């Protein structure tokens, strides 16, 4: 047995750590490391039995958030995300989070699952309302309601000085996909308890076909193409210290040629 998807927050990873060093050998690793300072960062490890596609187009640079499209054989794809909201984050978080969900609502995804550490302790998740007069919590609750999200974890995930709070959430547009949610006490060395849940997923790639552009390289003028490649400013592709951005930039330069 294995976990089909592992979502981690506060990974504290940076470019000095390779995916192969994480010990998740049967998983495809998707990371969004914090770049501005130490700490933070989010990660999704998706087992290779599942087809996962990183959806950077749906992410926000101002958020520690990461999305993957999980493709299925006979059902629509599921959008799975992980998010970390640092304690004390200001209203910029809720503004960016709302913009992120607005963008997703304009896509074809009918099933969205978003897990992570949101750090909203003063919330009654049975009524989706603040327990204290807090504008940040009130704004977040309104976002959850406005986007028809259900919160599926009702067990505390962090206890400090005898006070237990639900900080780690499972937000979804399709609660019927989520079952057997449980918080594991003393699951590992951490100040948060891990949250486990079952999710209804089908292995394999979607059977739905979609139009795609195919290049006929047999008809290509390879001599002229080679000359174009000679003049491409390749150094421009590596201005950002991020392998994903570099890969996108290289692809753009090649296709532009």
């Amino acid at each position: 047995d294995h976990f089909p998807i592992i979502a981690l927050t506060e990974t504290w990873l940076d470019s000095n750590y390779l995916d192969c060093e994480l010990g998740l050998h049967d998983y495809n690793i998707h990371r969004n490391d914090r770049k501005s300072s130490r700490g933070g960062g989010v990660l999704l490890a998706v087992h290779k039995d599942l087809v996962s596609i990183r959806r950077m187009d749906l992410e926000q640079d101002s958020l520690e958030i990461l999305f993957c499209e999980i493709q299925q054989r006979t059902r629509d794809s599921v959008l799975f995300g992980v998010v970390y909201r640092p304690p004390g984050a200001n209203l910029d978080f809720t503004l960016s989070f709302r913009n992120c969900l607005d963008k997703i609502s304009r896509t074809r995804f009918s099933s969205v699952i978003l897990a992570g550490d949101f750090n909203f302790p003063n919330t009654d998740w049975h009524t989706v309302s603040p327990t204290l007069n807090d504008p940040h919590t009130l704004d977040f609750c309104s976002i959850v309601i406005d986007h028809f999200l259900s919160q599926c974890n009702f067990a505390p995930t962090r206890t400090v000085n005898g006070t237990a709070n639900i900080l780690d959430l499972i937000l979804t547009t399709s609660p019927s996909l989520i079952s057997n949610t449980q918080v594991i006490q003393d699951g590992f060395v951490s100040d948060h308890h891990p949250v486990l849940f079952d999710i209804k997923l089908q292995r394999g790639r979607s059977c739905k076909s979609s139009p795609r552009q195919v290049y006929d390289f047999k008809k290509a003028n390879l001599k002229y193409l080679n000359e174009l490649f000679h003049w491409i400013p390749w150094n421009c592709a590596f201005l950002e210290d991020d392998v994903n951005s570099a890969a996108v930039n290289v692809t753009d330069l090649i296709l532009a040629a």
Side-chain angles (χ1 to χ4, degrees):
D1 290 343
H2 59 263
F3 297 113
I5 301 174
I6 300 172
L8 299 176
T9 62
E10 290 194 89
T11 59
W12 283 63
L13 296 176
D14 57 33
S15 57
N16 294 314
Y17 295 90
L18 302 177
D19 292 348
C20 60
E21 297 180 89
L22 303 179
L24 298 169
H25 305 298
D26 294 325
Y27 289 81
N28 292 312
I29 307 298
H30 307 275
R31 289 164 49 177
N32 186 359
D33 301 339
R34 182 182 289 181
K35 300 174 181 62
S36 59
S37 61
R38 295 182 65 216
V42 292
L43 178 152
L44 278 180
V46 184
H47 197 272
K48 292 181 179 179
D49 284 349
L50 296 172
V51 179
S52 61
I53 302 172
R54 176 78 178 269
R55 294 300 303 265
M56 298 180 68
D57 57 310
L58 300 176
E59 298 168 10
Q60 294 271 114
D61 291 338
S62 56
L63 297 175
E64 293 186 69
I65 199 167
L66 187 158
F67 286 107
C68 280
E69 176 181 346
I70 310 298
Q71 294 192 341
Q72 303 186 89
R73 287 197 312 275
T74 59
R75 299 176 184 166
D76 291 337
S77 296
V78 173
L79 186 66
F80 197 106
V82 58
V83 62
Y84 173 61
R85 174 186 177 269
N90 57 29
L91 286 173
D92 289 343
F93 171 87
T94 50
L95 177 61
S96 297
F97 189 61
R98 182 182 289 277
N99 290 337
C100 186
L101 293 179
D102 286 343
K103 184 187 295 186
I104 292 172
S105 68
R106 294 190 290 271
T107 68
R108 57 184 171 79
F109 293 106
S110 58
S111 295
V112 179
I113 300 172
L114 187 55
D117 179 5
F118 287 84
N119 279 303
F120 282 107
N122 304 315
T123 308
D124 182 343
W125 285 111
H126 294 281
T127 60
V128 193
S129 61
T131 57
L132 296 177
N133 186 17
D134 174 20
H136 301 275
T137 304
L138 179 61
D139 196 22
F140 184 72
C141 288
S142 68
I143 292 173
V144 171
I145 294 171
D146 291 346
H147 289 86
F148 305 100
L149 296 172
S150 298
Q151 205 288 106
C152 300
N153 173 44
F154 297 93
T157 58
R158 188 169 189 259
T159 302
V160 177
N161 297 326
T163 301
N165 292 306
I166 303 174
L167 302 182
D168 301 271
L169 311 178
I170 305 168
L171 299 172
T172 181
T173 57
S174 303
S176 61
L177 296 181
I178 306 297
S179 62
N180 300 324
T181 302
Q182 55 181 317
V183 171
I184 307 300
Q185 302 291 331
D186 304 320
F188 48 77
V189 180
S190 173
D191 60 342
H192 286 244
H193 306 307
V195 183
L196 274 63
F197 60 93
D198 293 337
I199 174 174
K200 295 178 183 178
L201 288 175
Q202 289 184 338
R203 294 182 176 88
R205 190 176 297 275
S206 172
C207 293
K208 293 183 177 180
S209 60
S210 57
R212 62 191 180 98
Q213 191 172 22
V214 178
Y215 296 95
D216 187 356
F217 293 100
K218 292 182 179 179
K219 296 182 179 179
N221 187 335
L222 298 181
K223 182 178 179 180
Y224 178 62
L225 188 61
N226 188 50
E227 292 177 1
L228 288 177
F229 282 175
H230 178 73
W231 295 107
I232 287 179
W234 296 107
N235 60 305
C236 295
F238 305 97
L239 295 177
E240 300 179 59
D241 187 20
D242 178 71
V243 66
N244 292 316
S245 299
V248 172
N249 293 337
V250 168
T251 301
D252 290 343
L253 287 171
I254 292 175
L255 294 178

